[in-house]
């Protein structure tokens, strides 16, 4: 089934993305859950991209192998939805105390 999916990706896909995760046990930041990222592979034909990604399955990839020093990176992000909120939580304004005005 895996080889059939790989052949299907080579035949029909234009954009190839790899789903990667961090090795959280190697970084002592007190977090237990790994970060999961989807990284797009560019350059070459679709078959070359798929072969490149399948060659990296279950292998450690260092950041220095992927990114160069002072390299610019395009990032797309979506904010977390917070629902309908008022001005205090939306803009972070402070409420006045109860006895601030006379009358």
């Amino acid at each position: 089934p895996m080889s059939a999916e790989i052949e299907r990706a080579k035949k029909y896909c234009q954009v190839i993305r790899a789903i990667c995760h961090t090795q959280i046990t190697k970084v002592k930041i007190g977090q237990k859950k790994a970060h999961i990222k989807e990284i797009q592979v560019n350059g070459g034909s679709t078959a070359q991209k798929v072969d490149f990604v399948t060659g990296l399955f279950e292998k450690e990839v260092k950041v220095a192998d992927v990114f160069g020093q002072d390299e610019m990176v395009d990032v797309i992000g979506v904010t977390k939805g917070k629902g309908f909120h008022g001005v205090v939580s939306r803009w972070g304004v402070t409420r006045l105390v109860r006895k601030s005005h006379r009358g």
Side-chain angles (χ1 to χ4, degrees):
M2 185 72 158
S3 59
E5 288 293 322
I6 291 172
E7 290 303 317
R8 198 174 81 162
K10 286 181 183 180
K11 188 173 181 182
Y12 295 111
C13 295
Q14 285 90 27
V15 178
I16 302 297
R17 292 189 180 109
I19 298 175
C20 306
H21 68 88
T22 57
Q23 292 179 317
I24 207 71
T25 56
K26 293 189 175 186
V27 183
K28 305 295 182 196
I29 58 173
Q31 186 175 349
K32 295 186 180 184
K33 202 177 208 182
H35 299 98
I36 298 175
K37 298 288 176 202
E38 191 174 285
I39 301 172
Q40 182 171 325
V41 179
N42 293 324
S45 66
T46 306
Q48 290 172 333
K49 293 179 198 176
V50 172
D51 292 335
F52 175 73
V53 170
T54 52
L56 294 176
F57 278 174
E58 299 293 327
K59 291 184 182 169
E60 183 177 340
V61 179
K62 300 205 180 295
V63 176
D65 297 341
V66 180
F67 301 108
Q69 184 71 28
D70 299 327
E71 183 178 353
M72 301 296 282
V73 179
D74 291 332
V75 177
I76 299 171
V78 178
T79 59
K80 289 184 179 179
K82 306 265 190 241
F84 191 85
H85 280 281
V87 292
V88 174
S89 55
R90 189 172 177 196
W91 301 109
V93 296
T94 54
R95 292 185 55 140
L96 290 175
V97 293
R98 183 176 65 85
K99 297 179 79 174
S100 64
H101 296 303
R102 296 185 71 173

